[in-house]
């Protein structure tokens, strides 16, 4: 907490340090801190927030109103259990207004089912006025590809999933290809930043800390590490589309989130999007994605690059691993066997934290050649 507030109070704000805190174990810790840090990560000026949108004016003759209304009415489980009905209903009305306000101010954006799952997360954490500003910035940057008139760019982003899996575990990749399962099982994960599929709000906001501090494609890396984490379940499944799709679409609620966040960050450093773009889709399509314009967003965010933060973090952990290996060699000579067991446990713990890095390095020289174009949507 002290380190976060030190970064917030520095002049200028130390955005790189805030990104490190958002990525590191535990994330930003509390919603009170998120209210202060999330605007910095999105480069939103909290001293000049727009007024809250007016509901009646927004709803009249709005082409998206009926669909937004239906989706918000179905969002009961996204609100804390035990919340009084009148309070929840008030927040749902506010949620509708925020969505319609952002769409009205940005006519190039198109509403999609699942967008409300992201907006409600911001509403519950930071309140309506700040949520409106943060969601608008997010919608014109990280979420922009999902808000195009067609699903082409969303399909393109989903197509990064299989190359990442192949780099780390070709056996799982080949099994999924044989089952012809595609990537549609991860669609709701991606377009809601996992808000729709995780039941514990603590886990949702922890992931939002991570995603807000990173590249727009980080959610697809996190989707990949979930699949890789379930390696044995996948390989034990019947090798057919229905069985594998059913297994993967039922996301476990007891995931080791901190470990998976760490692994996703490591994989991003080892296999950055620039190395996977050719494999994921055609170059002309890639030029239109938010990932390709992320440098502009980085420059607007006080010149602090989240990719650099991840790489620095990865290098520091690798140096730590080398240091621990040196200590292990020294202790193997100077200490008794009983002590060596604790050194080994320390090294094993670091290996777990590093995730699939070693395996990924072995695989990184291999190229992935798609056997067919994934047809995600009819």
């Amino acid at each position: 907490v002290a380190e976060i507030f030190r970064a917030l109070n520095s002049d200028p704000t130390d955005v790189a340090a805030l990104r490190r805190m958002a990525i590191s174990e535990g994330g930003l810790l509390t919603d009170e801190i998120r209210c202060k840090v999330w605007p910095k990560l999105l480069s939103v000026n909290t001293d000049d927030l727009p007024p809250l949108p007016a509901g009646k004016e927004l709803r009249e003759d709005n082409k998206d109103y009926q669909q937004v209304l239906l989706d918000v009415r179905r969002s009961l489980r996204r609100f804390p259990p035990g919340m009084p009905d009148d309070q929840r209903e008030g927040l749902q009305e506010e949620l509708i207004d925020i969505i319609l306000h952002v769409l009205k101010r940005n006519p190039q954006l198109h509403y999609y089912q699942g967008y409300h799952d992201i907006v409600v997360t911001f509403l519950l954490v930071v309140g309506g006025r700040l949520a409106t500003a943060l969601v608008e910035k997010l919608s014109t940057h990280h979420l922009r590809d999902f808000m195009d008139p067609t699903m082409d760019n969303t399909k393109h982003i989903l197509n990064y999933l299989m190359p990442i899996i192949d780099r780390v575990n070709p056996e799982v990749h080949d099994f999924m290809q044989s089952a012809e399962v595609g990537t549609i099982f991860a669609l709701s994960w991606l377009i809601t930043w996992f808000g729709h599929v995780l039941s514990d709000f603590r886990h949702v906001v922890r992931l939002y800390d991570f995603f807000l501090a990173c590249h727009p494609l980080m959610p697809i890396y996190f989707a990949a590490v979930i699949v890789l984490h379930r390696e044995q379940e996948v390989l034990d499944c019947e090798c057919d589309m229905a069985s594998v799709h059913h297994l993967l679409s039922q996301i476990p609620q007891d995931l080791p989130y901190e470990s998976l966040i760490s692994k996703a960050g490591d994989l991003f450093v080892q296999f950055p999007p620039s190395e996977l773009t050719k494999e994921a889709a055609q170059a002309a399509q890639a030029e239109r994605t938010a990932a390709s314009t992320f440098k502009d967003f980085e420059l607007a965010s006080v010149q602090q690059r989240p990719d650099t933060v991840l790489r620095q973090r990865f290098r520091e952990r690798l140096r730590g691993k080398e240091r621990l290996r040196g200590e292990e060699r020294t202790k193997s000579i100077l200490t008794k066997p009983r002590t060596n067991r604790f050194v080994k446990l320390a090294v094993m713990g670091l290996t777990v934290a590093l995730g699939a890095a070693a395996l990924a390095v072995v695989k990184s020289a291999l190229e992935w050649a798609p056997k067919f174009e994934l047809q995600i949507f009819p």
Side-chain angles (χ1 to χ4, degrees):
V1 172
E3 191 167 351
I4 291 171
F5 277 97
R6 190 158 49 245
L8 281 169
N9 295 328
S10 65
D11 189 15
T13 301
D14 191 345
V15 178
L18 294 177
R19 291 191 191 281
R20 284 196 300 273
M21 294 298 100
I23 293 168
S24 65
E25 185 172 354
L28 297 175
L29 304 174
T30 70
D31 287 351
E32 289 75 17
I33 292 176
R34 292 183 178 101
C35 289
K36 298 178 182 297
V37 176
W38 281 6
K40 301 299 183 184
L41 297 180
L42 285 172
S43 193
V44 168
N45 182 6
T46 56
D47 296 326
D48 187 27
L49 295 175
L52 286 173
K56 185 176 180 181
E57 296 174 6
L58 289 170
R59 301 180 190 202
E60 290 178 351
D61 301 321
N62 190 301
K63 64 182 178 61
D64 296 304
Y65 172 60
Q66 289 302 324
Q67 185 60 59
V68 172
L69 178 64
L70 289 173
D71 289 346
V72 169
R73 282 178 175 171
R74 289 194 293 260
S75 66
L76 295 181
R77 70 181 190 85
R78 292 303 318 279
F79 293 88
M83 175 180 282
D85 288 345
D86 57 344
Q87 183 182 357
R88 174 186 50 76
E89 290 167 3
L91 287 171
Q92 286 180 305
E93 293 299 311
E94 205 170 350
L95 177 58
I96 293 171
D97 289 344
I98 292 171
I99 294 172
L100 296 180
H101 176 77
V102 171
L103 294 174
K104 183 176 181 179
R105 282 174 50 88
N106 300 273
Q108 77 278 13
L109 301 178
H110 297 262
Y111 178 77
Y112 65 88
Q113 287 184 278
Y115 180 69
H116 69 290
D117 283 300
I118 288 182
V119 181
V120 72
T121 303
F122 283 88
L123 174 61
L124 291 173
V125 172
V126 304
R129 193 175 179 198
L130 182 52
T132 303
L134 297 183
V135 166
E136 182 168 9
K137 178 61 74 71
L138 194 73
S139 300
T140 55
H141 290 88
H142 291 67
L143 305 179
R144 181 172 59 81
D145 297 323
F146 309 145
M147 306 188 77
D148 280 349
T150 71
M151 297 292 289
D152 289 345
N153 282 338
T154 302
K155 288 190 289 184
H156 168 70
I157 294 171
L158 280 168
N159 284 343
Y160 278 83
L161 182 67
M162 296 304 289
I164 298 169
I165 293 172
D166 188 36
R167 288 291 204 273
V168 180
N169 194 324
E171 184 181 6
V172 170
H173 168 271
D174 293 346
F175 181 90
M176 293 174 66
Q177 293 284 57
S178 297
E180 299 183 348
V181 69
T183 56
I184 190 67
F185 66 86
L187 177 62
S188 64
W189 305 357
L190 180 67
I191 65 175
T192 69
W193 278 12
F194 297 83
H196 183 72
V197 294
L198 297 181
S199 58
D200 193 325
F201 192 70
R202 293 174 305 157
H203 299 151
V204 175
V205 294
R206 173 66 189 101
L207 288 181
Y208 277 43
D209 292 343
F210 180 47
F211 296 152
L212 286 171
C214 293
H215 191 281
L217 287 180
M218 188 56 78
I220 204 68
Y221 282 81
F222 192 79
V225 298
I226 289 179
V227 175
L228 292 165
H229 174 71
R230 305 182 70 190
E231 169 192 359
Q232 200 55 55
E233 290 179 81
V234 173
L235 297 177
D236 289 344
C237 189
E238 292 293 329
C239 190
D240 63 76
M241 183 182 69
S243 299
V244 179
H245 176 85
H246 177 74
L247 172 72
L248 291 175
S249 61
Q250 305 297 312
I251 189 169
Q253 296 297 313
D254 59 347
L255 293 169
Y257 292 95
E258 295 300 337
S259 173
L260 296 183
I261 285 171
S262 178
K263 290 175 183 177
D266 292 348
L267 291 184
F268 183 91
V269 173
Q270 293 170 52
F271 313 117
S274 58
E275 290 185 10
L276 304 174
T277 299
K278 185 177 179 181
E279 302 167 4
Q282 300 171 351
Q285 222 172 10
E287 289 173 359
R288 296 198 299 271
T289 64
S292 65
T293 61
F294 190 58
K295 280 195 185 302
D296 296 334
F297 180 68
E298 291 174 341
L299 290 173
S301 184
V302 205
Q303 302 288 334
Q304 303 294 345
R305 298 185 55 191
D307 300 7
T308 303
V309 172
L310 282 171
R311 283 195 292 271
Q312 179 182 353
R313 168 180 166 276
F314 185 64
R315 286 195 298 269
E316 289 172 354
R317 292 167 65 194
L318 284 178
R319 285 197 294 269
K321 182 180 178 183
E322 291 298 324
R323 187 163 57 249
L324 280 180
R325 282 177 174 169
E327 291 173 0
E328 182 185 12
R329 286 193 295 269
T330 302
K331 289 185 178 181
S332 67
I333 298 171
L334 299 177
T335 63
K336 297 178 181 179
R338 188 172 68 87
T339 308
N340 286 345
R341 181 171 66 87
F342 294 101
V343 178
K344 290 177 182 178
L345 286 173
V347 175
M348 286 172 61
L350 185 63
T351 303
V352 169
L354 285 171
L359 183 58
V361 169
V362 173
K363 180 60 189 164
S364 62
L366 301 180
E367 292 295 328
W368 177 77
K371 301 290 193 301
F372 58 87
E373 180 179 343
L374 289 176
Q375 298 296 328
I376 299 173
F377 299 97

